Amino acid sequence: MPSRSAGVIKQDWEPVVMHKAKPKSQDLRDPKVVNHALRSGAPVQTIKKFDAGSNKKATAPVVNARKLEEETEPAALDRISTEVRQAIQKARLEKKMSQTELAKLINEQPKVVQEYENGKAVPNQAILAKMERVLGVKLRGKTGK
């Protein structure tokens, strides 16, 4: 039989506290966990994100409601002026660049460049600024009907 040590035997009366690990955020989003929490009556926080999942870069210009009511004709949005259209086309052709190449350089879709050159686009100062930088031509301040 093994013998015990001759030392003093002590008893440890300090409390031992064990903590449960916090659940991971991905586990909290699991539908099973959420349903279990709802059934057991535990608080569940839901947050709806504004414009979540959309890829909107620019919003359409806001038209004042009073102006719409006062006008008898439907409100017409400003379009790119002929001067700006021609300046974009001329500068693009001088740099020997296609509409698709210009669109890639300004990080927009080719359809956007096409609408600006056809005069169908509603002027967006951010897009015009990008075109100015790439083409090296002054475009802002010339917009109109």
Side-chain angles (χ1 to χ4, degrees), residues 125-141:
Q125 297 302 317
I127 295 174
L128 288 173
K130 291 181 203 177
M131 286 185 182
E132 282 180 353
R133 195 173 344 112
V134 171
L135 297 174
V137 178
K138 175 81 171 131
L139 300 172
R140 290 180 288 181

Side-chain angles (χ1 to χ4, degrees), residues 10-96:
K10 292 184 192 178
Q11 199 165 18
D12 188 10
W13 292 96
E14 291 294 319
V16 176
V17 180
M18 296 182 153
H19 294 285
K20 189 175 180 182
K22 289 184 179 180
K24 296 178 183 172
S25 64
Q26 186 175 7
D27 295 338
L28 292 175
R29 285 188 234 120
D30 186 29
K32 291 179 183 178
V33 175
V34 173
N35 286 335
H36 179 69
L38 288 171
R39 285 187 200 116
S40 65
V44 177
Q45 181 181 12
T46 58
I47 299 172
K48 182 168 182 168
K49 294 183 180 179
F50 179 74
D51 277 348
S54 66
N55 192 12
K56 295 180 181 177
K57 290 187 179 180
T59 58
V62 178
V63 181
N64 192 351
R66 180 184 290 170
K67 287 182 183 178
L68 286 175
E69 288 178 6
E70 291 175 357
E71 290 182 5
T72 56
E73 298 177 14
L77 298 173
D78 291 339
R79 301 285 181 200
I80 294 293
S81 68
T82 308
E83 298 172 3
V84 176
R85 289 175 32 202
Q86 291 174 350
I88 293 170
Q89 286 176 347
K90 183 178 176 184
R92 181 178 59 80
L93 293 174
E94 283 178 0
K95 293 207 173 213
K96 297 179 181 172

